[in-house]
Amino acid sequence: MNRIFFFLALLSGLTSVSIAQQSSNTGRTISGTFVGKSFTEFAETVSTSTPYQFYFDAEELADIKVNLSLENSNLRDVLFAIFEKTDFKYSIDERDRVFIAKGRSLTLRLSPTFFLENSQQGTAAGLSDGDRTFSKNKLYVIGDAKSNTGTATLKGKVVGYDTGNPVPGAVIYEQSKTISTVTDSNGNFNITLPIGRHTLFVQNLGGFVEQRQVQLNADGQLDLMIEENIISMDEFLLLAEKNNNIGRTEMGVQKLDMSSIKKIPAALGEVDVIRGVLSLPGVQTVGEASVGFNVRGGAADQNLILYNHATVYNPSHLFGLFSAFNADLVSGVELYKAGVPAQYGGRLSSVLDVNGSYGNAEKIKVNGGIGLLTGRLSVDGPTGEKTTFAVGIRSTYSDWLLNLLEENTSFSNGRANFYDFNFNLAHQLTNKHALRLNVYASKDSFQFDADTLFGYENLNYNASWTYYINERLESELVVGQDEYNFGIEGRDTPSTAYNLGYRIRQKFVRLNFKQEVGFRHKFTYGLSTQEYNLNAGQLDPFGIESGILARQVNPERALESAIYVSDDIEINDKLNLSLGLRYALYNYLGPSAARFYQAGESPSENTFLREDRFASGEVIQSYHGPEFRLGARYLLDNTASIKLGYNTNRQFIHLLTNNAAIAPTDTWKLSDNNIAPQWGDQLSLGYYKNFKRDTYEFSAEVYHRNMKNLLDYRSGATLLLNDQVEQEILRTKGRSYGMELMLRKNSGKLNGWISYFYARSLLRTAADEQAEKINNGNWYPNNFDQPHNVTVMGNYELSKRVSTSLNFNYNTGRPITLPVAKFEYAGSERIFFSERNAYRIPDYFRMDFSINLEGNHKVRKLAHSSWSLGVYNVLGRQNPYSVFFTPVNGVLQGYQLSIFARPIPFITYNFRI
């Protein structure tokens, strides 16, 4: 009997346990039908019927919809199905709390090393992957506590967690956003903060924002490892850094970084730095297939274009279809439209600083791409523990696509090819000394008639030595040479066969210093000198039958030097000032012949007095003067600021051209005793505002520029092979003014920007010019005056691997001079033209579309690849490049020239090994 009672009691207990377990499991499973429910609604429903509690950002998950029919389903399986094709991750702890986060799942157990002393823990760079989950909350104590007042300097190096490579251009700022710094090309940073507790934020351009808790007691070092986005090396993103657009003192500064090729559809599918620059407000060009760009009403020659310290005189290939820069070897780009740093000079309008990459420190990597018209290949990596390199080549391999262009253009049925070569080397001698070597070479050749061949090339090389003198002072010495030349070979008939050549060469030395003095002063100062040597044009006969007479324009030589100093001053938490002074000295030197004319008269045959010859090194003419760089920034709050800027510039070298766009045969001319240097100033005011945690950025800037000693030309001027070119020049003054508006969405599936700017650029012959008054001395539009410009760039991410881009661009047509009447004179019919630039060609409108297909984003795989395909000029609009007139059977006929008069499809395959 006892056994029976024991058996029944045991059976009852087991049954109770079974029922309890079933009841428990039933309470944790999910049943129901969810159709079109938001994730918030789904979480609320599950929370009421299960013990699970959800923690997430409702705004981040606003686009997630749940469409599931469930019956006793496990929560982990359900969450996996919901987030399978998204970037969201989930974690569930022992207390049934469900955490949803974007990018990675949370580790819900503390690291065993979390509570170790700072001396044992080391820096963030020494943490394991698991430990890094808590890096943002762990307190890093730097130095021993000795004082509660004063400042201390924290220095360190930022590297990528997965690659170990230095992260250049990462923004480091403290919580109030008023103090920030940016890592240099080696990932190093220095930031001076008040002694005490700080929250530091670290943002990799195009990547995540991470934070570190720091107790700063004294000067010290903290190396940081941060997440990196795995992206195609051919991509680049127009990025005005979050917070930095508000906090930095300079205004009119835009940055481009390699991050997303698909966001800027380009002709023929090639990543193009110049095309990226053209999408910014205040920047425009006179038309498609044009060399150069115009910034805030300035001419194309008024832009200083630098590539790793080298001056690039012709930044394009194939008449402007491609830029001269291989995107695989570019790490970042900065455009200064205003607030140009004092270390830069020699140009009136802007500085475009293109930073080439020096390779990664982990392993040898290969990058490349194949498009319809071009192919490229680059290799980068380490050659030892302290040396990295990057080398690349790009070239055309077919002329077939030119035959698809509009039949009436000079490009159709032509032959053209180019190549460019880059080699960059970085070597870390010690912790204090670093060396870099840069070589860039490019060559273009093209032929449209069987008898004439054109060609031009750039050749640049330089070396730099960086010396980190101490934690607050560093120096950089750069020595190099830049060269640009072009040539024309004419083979029409043996009796007129010729070779025409031109060359400009400059050698330079620059010494720059950066120094932090106290907590509120950041000084930059230095000096530079460069020597110009110009072969201003040489014509030689080709072959013994040629009757062409050899001819050479007087060569030119000059020395341009400058000394500068600037100070970025923090007045208080809201007000920052930037004060800079640059003093430029220019000497026009022999050996050369100088022509002199009557004082106060315009150069002409009638006012010519004499020609004197000067020996080598003898000073013919000197110019000098100060250049001011002033800026102020006032923080309205942590999300808005206003800025004011004023700067002056001098330009001692001029481009001789009477074309709207730069042509390969245009020549450069040095300032001499007859041609004074250009001078200009700019006053600008801006308002900047960020919305919704910096997701949206808005900026509004207005500016006004004055310019003098600009060059315009008499009607019918001859500029090539002209020893008396000063007789063709009309001294001109200019003014430009405008307003720039931009609204940008930085994140989310739908991102991009809308910009509008109104800009005028006007010229007027100088009042004391005696030779000729253009338009009776009244103001007239410049060749590139295009008042209205609208750009819309939209990108939509269908998934992490598929995205689309749509680009709209509109601008007013550029000015032209038209024939308006004909008349009889001296027994023949003549044409009467309108005032200069009194009319405009039709307005320009273009829409582009692209689809971008990425390979998977796994870090450790043999190769990463992507495809980019789309259509340039989707609507096939015949946007006019120019309008010209030709007599046909005695009747003057007008024609419109369009470069891309039909849709241009493109496809490019990119790879990285």
Side-chain angles (χ1 to χ4, degrees):
M1 181 67 67
N2 292 334
R3 291 181 179 179
I4 294 175
F5 278 115
F6 175 77
F7 176 77
L8 291 175
L10 178 63
L11 180 61
S12 175
L14 291 175
T15 304
S16 299
V17 171
S18 175
I19 293 173
Q21 287 180 343
Q22 183 177 359
S23 175
S24 175
N25 289 336
T26 303
R28 293 178 180 274
T29 58
I30 304 171
S31 299
T33 300
F34 303 87
V35 180
K37 295 290 186 180
S38 69
F39 186 82
T40 299
E41 294 173 322
F42 169 80
E44 290 175 350
T45 302
V46 174
S47 296
T48 57
S49 59
T50 70
Y52 294 111
Q53 296 298 315
F54 290 81
Y55 299 86
F56 57 90
D57 187 332
E59 185 177 338
E60 282 190 345
L61 292 167
D63 295 332
I64 300 297
K65 300 297 182 183
V66 180
N67 293 280
L68 295 172
S69 180
L70 307 174
E71 183 175 354
N72 295 328
S73 299
N74 181 276
L75 178 60
R76 294 182 182 274
D77 296 334
V78 174
L79 293 177
F80 177 82
I82 294 174
F83 298 125
E84 180 181 8
K85 296 182 179 181
T86 74
D87 196 34
F88 291 97
K89 309 294 182 183
Y90 66 89
S91 303
I92 306 175
D93 69 2
E94 296 176 350
R95 297 168 58 185
D96 294 328
R97 293 180 300 181
V98 183
F99 299 90
I100 312 297
K102 192 172 185 179
R104 57 182 178 181
S105 58
L106 301 178
T107 302
L108 301 178
R109 294 178 181 272
L110 287 176
S111 163
T113 64
F114 182 71
F115 295 106
L116 294 180
E117 294 295 330
N118 185 65
S119 59
Q120 294 175 284
Q121 187 77 348
T123 65
L127 296 175
S128 67
D129 191 26
D131 296 333
R132 295 187 66 261
T133 303
F134 303 97
S135 295
K136 67 179 181 179
N137 295 318
K138 183 185 183 300
L139 178 63
Y140 294 90
V141 180
I142 307 299
D144 298 327
K146 297 179 180 179
S147 173
N148 294 326
T149 61
T151 63
T153 298
L154 180 66
K155 69 176 183 177
K157 187 171 188 176
V158 179
V159 299
Y161 174 68
D162 294 308
T163 65
N165 295 335
V167 180
V171 181
I172 302 170
Y173 57 94
E174 55 92 30
Q175 192 169 26
S176 67
K177 303 181 182 179
T178 59
I179 303 175
S180 65
T181 187
V182 179
T183 58
D184 63 17
S185 56
N186 296 314
N188 297 314
F189 71 91
N190 280 278
I191 187 169
T192 301
L193 300 166
I195 288 175
R197 177 75 175 265
H198 297 280
T199 299
L200 291 182
F201 292 89
V202 187
Q203 181 184 8
N204 177 23
L205 296 183
F208 303 104
V209 178
E210 301 196 16
Q211 70 182 48
R212 300 291 186 270
Q213 305 295 328
V214 176
Q215 176 64 42
L216 187 61
N217 297 322
D219 293 347
Q221 180 166 342
L222 178 63
D223 295 334
L224 305 172
M225 276 190 170
I226 65 174
E227 293 282 359
E228 294 178 288
N229 277 352
I230 305 304
I231 52 179
S232 294
M233 291 300 291
D234 301 324
E235 304 175 345
F236 67 85
L237 168 71
L238 295 160
L239 183 64
E241 301 163 6
K242 288 184 178 181
N243 308 313
N244 211 25
N245 66 316
I246 295 173
R248 71 185 303 165
T249 308
E250 300 89 357
M251 62 183 301
V253 181
Q254 297 281 353
K255 287 195 173 186
L256 295 84
D257 202 87
M258 306 300 291
S259 181
S260 179
I261 187 175
K262 289 90 177 179
K263 294 184 178 180
I264 305 178
L268 308 178
E270 183 79 7
V271 181
D272 194 316
V273 170
I274 301 298
R275 296 282 175 186
V277 171
L278 288 172
S279 68
L280 300 174
V283 186
Q284 53 194 166
T285 184
V286 296
E288 293 166 319
S290 298
V291 179
F293 53 93
N294 307 104
V295 177
R296 291 189 170 180
D301 69 314
Q302 294 175 351
N303 304 311
L304 177 63
I305 302 175
L306 299 173
Y307 178 75
N308 281 1
H309 306 292
T311 301
V312 179
Y313 281 93
N314 192 324
S316 73
H317 290 303
L318 290 185
F319 340 104
L321 292 179
F322 303 104
S323 79
F325 307 110
N326 185 342
D328 285 346
L329 296 170
V330 173
S331 63
V333 177
E334 276 190 296
L335 175 69
Y336 297 91
K337 300 181 292 183
V340 176
Q343 74 182 82
Y344 299 119
R347 299 295 189 274
L348 253 58
S349 290
S350 74
V351 175
L352 179 65
D353 190 12
V354 182
N355 299 308
S357 63
Y358 291 89
N360 75 94
E362 181 185 7
K363 65 178 182 179
I364 301 295
K365 295 183 179 180
V366 180
N367 298 273
I370 302 173
L372 293 175
L373 192 61
T374 64
R376 67 186 191 279
L377 182 68
S378 64
V379 181
D380 72 278
T383 60
E385 293 184 357
K386 296 184 177 182
T387 306
T388 61
F389 77 95
V391 61
I393 190 168
R394 182 173 56 147
S395 181
T396 54
Y397 44 77
S398 175
D399 300 319
W400 65 271
L401 201 59
L402 291 177
N403 296 327
L404 297 180
L405 300 181
E406 185 70 13
E407 294 181 0
N408 293 331
T409 71
S410 58
F411 298 126
S412 61
N413 299 314
R415 294 193 303 108
N417 59 79
F418 76 84
Y419 78 83
D420 56 49
F421 170 80
N422 301 76
F423 176 74
N424 305 325
L425 179 73
H427 178 67
Q428 193 75 31
L429 289 172
T430 67
N431 290 335
K432 288 182 172 291
H433 300 273
L435 297 177
R436 291 188 171 184
L437 176 66
N438 304 289
V439 179
Y440 172 74
S442 70
K443 185 173 183 178
D444 282 66
S445 61
F446 50 96
Q447 185 174 16
F448 302 124
D449 297 320
D451 59 353
T452 306
L453 176 66
F454 299 83
Y456 60 91
E457 56 187 12
N458 293 287
L459 177 62
N460 309 83
Y461 51 88
N462 60 72
S464 65
W465 167 43
T466 302
Y467 177 28
Y468 301 97
I469 301 171
N470 56 47
E471 293 179 353
R472 296 173 178 264
L473 176 62
E474 68 177 76
S475 66
E476 181 186 49
L477 176 66
V478 187
V479 180
Q481 177 174 292
D482 307 318
E483 183 176 317
Y484 171 71
N485 63 75
F486 74 80
I488 304 175
E489 299 178 3
R491 305 291 185 265
D492 187 11
T493 59
S495 61
T496 59
Y498 66 91
N499 289 331
L500 173 65
Y502 170 88
R503 185 191 68 214
I504 178 172
R505 177 184 295 161
Q506 67 177 39
K507 301 176 182 179
F508 63 87
V509 178
R510 300 172 189 145
L511 180 60
N512 304 311
F513 293 89
K514 295 180 182 179
Q515 184 175 11
E516 294 186 7
V517 179
F519 175 56
R520 299 186 182 275
H521 295 271
K522 294 181 180 179
F523 284 97
T524 58
Y525 51 91
L527 51 88
S528 65
T529 185
Q530 57 190 27
E531 178 191 33
Y532 296 103
N533 283 280
L534 271 69
N535 176 357
Q538 182 171 340
L539 180 67
D540 295 309
F542 178 80
I544 58 175
E545 299 182 29
S546 176
I548 296 294
L549 298 177
R551 182 181 176 187
Q552 181 173 5
V553 178
N554 284 330
E556 295 187 301
R557 180 169 174 255
L559 192 67
E560 180 184 342
S561 304
I563 185 171
Y564 73 91
V565 61
S566 67
D567 184 14
D568 193 3
I569 310 170
E570 182 182 344
I571 304 299
N572 53 46
D573 290 344
K574 291 184 175 293
L575 179 62
N576 260 45
L577 298 179
S578 179
L579 308 177
L581 174 65
R582 177 185 178 90
Y583 199 91
L585 171 63
Y586 173 86
N587 291 314
Y588 185 65
L589 305 173
S592 184
R595 291 169 295 277
F596 294 88
Y597 299 85
Q598 295 176 15
E601 298 291 335
S602 300
S604 68
E605 292 183 1
N606 296 328
T607 60
F608 176 76
L609 293 177
R610 69 184 190 279
E611 181 176 280
D612 296 342
R613 296 208 60 87
F614 290 80
S616 178
E618 189 175 358
V619 177
I620 302 174
Q621 182 69 43
S622 293
Y623 298 98
H624 60 88
E627 301 175 11
F628 302 99
R629 313 293 166 82
L630 310 174
R633 180 229 66 203
Y634 184 80
L635 288 175
L636 301 175
D637 52 41
N638 284 342
T639 64
S641 68
I642 55 175
K643 301 179 187 179
L644 179 68
Y646 176 77
N647 61 273
T648 63
N649 294 276
R650 299 172 189 271
Q651 181 168 331
F652 301 100
I653 186 170
H654 320 264
L655 186 67
L656 300 180
T657 178
N658 47 20
N659 300 308
I662 297 177
T665 55
D666 292 335
T667 59
W668 294 83
K669 175 74 176 71
L670 296 175
S671 294
D672 57 21
N673 57 304
N674 295 308
I675 301 177
Q678 301 176 44
W679 180 91
D681 69 348
Q682 179 178 187
L683 178 65
S684 51
L685 176 68
Y687 171 76
Y688 308 85
K689 174 71 175 178
N690 287 6
F691 304 91
K692 290 192 174 181
R693 301 178 183 178
D694 301 321
T695 299
Y696 295 90
E697 294 179 1
F698 172 78
S699 64
E701 295 185 15
V702 293
Y703 66 90
H704 187 279
R705 298 180 61 197
N706 293 301
M707 296 164 281
K708 65 180 182 180
N709 298 331
L710 304 182
L711 305 187
D712 207 343
Y713 309 97
R714 303 185 188 189
S715 301
T718 300
L719 304 180
L720 191 62
L721 292 176
N722 188 346
D723 263 325
Q724 293 85 36
V725 71
E726 68 274 3
Q727 297 181 14
E728 306 285 359
I729 290 173
L730 298 175
R731 288 180 295 106
T732 305
K733 62 186 300 184
R735 70 180 183 190
S736 62
Y737 53 89
M739 173 186 65
E740 300 169 1
L741 303 176
M742 186 173 186
L743 177 64
R744 180 189 187 94
K745 186 174 185 289
N746 291 311
S747 57
K749 286 190 173 182
L750 177 63
N751 56 79
W753 64 90
I754 301 174
S755 70
Y756 165 78
F757 65 89
Y758 175 80
R760 295 305 311 269
S761 179
L762 306 173
L763 299 175
R764 183 167 69 180
T765 308
D768 57 349
E769 178 63 62
Q770 305 295 323
E772 182 181 344
K773 299 283 189 181
I774 301 297
N775 290 7
N776 298 316
N778 297 318
W779 290 100
Y780 59 95
N782 213 326
N783 287 335
F784 40 83
D785 176 64
Q786 298 165 284
H788 299 282
N789 186 293
V790 179
T791 298
V792 179
M793 175 67 72
N795 311 288
Y796 186 77
E797 296 181 3
L798 299 174
S799 70
K800 279 296 180 181
R801 297 175 57 185
V802 182
S803 63
T804 61
S805 297
L806 193 64
N807 174 57
F808 296 88
N809 182 260
Y810 164 84
N811 59 259
T812 309
R814 65 178 182 83
I816 57 172
T817 303
L818 295 181
V820 294
K822 60 182 180 179
F823 60 95
E824 295 288 337
Y825 179 77
S828 62
E829 188 175 77
R830 305 296 176 93
I831 302 299
F832 181 77
F833 287 86
S834 68
E835 291 190 327
R836 185 171 296 187
N837 291 342
Y839 294 88
R840 294 183 180 274
I841 63 176
D843 292 351
Y844 180 94
F845 177 75
R846 192 190 76 245
M847 181 176 74
D848 312 317
F849 175 76
S850 69
I851 300 176
N852 308 281
L853 308 175
E854 286 281 349
N856 68 62
H857 289 184
K858 293 180 180 179
V859 175
R860 294 175 176 85
K861 57 181 293 188
L862 178 62
H864 297 268
S865 62
S866 67
W867 289 88
S868 177
L869 60 155
V871 181
Y872 184 87
N873 192 17
V874 171
L875 303 178
R877 281 181 55 90
Q878 297 183 5
N879 290 304
Y881 177 80
S882 67
V883 175
F884 60 96
F885 295 83
T886 302
V888 178
N889 298 324
V891 178
L892 196 64
Q893 298 285 352
Y895 298 91
Q896 174 179 299
L897 170 63
S898 299
I899 304 300
F900 295 110
R902 64 185 70 178
I904 304 295
F906 63 83
I907 182 170
T908 302
Y909 172 72
N910 308 286
F911 62 87
R912 185 181 65 195
I913 300 175

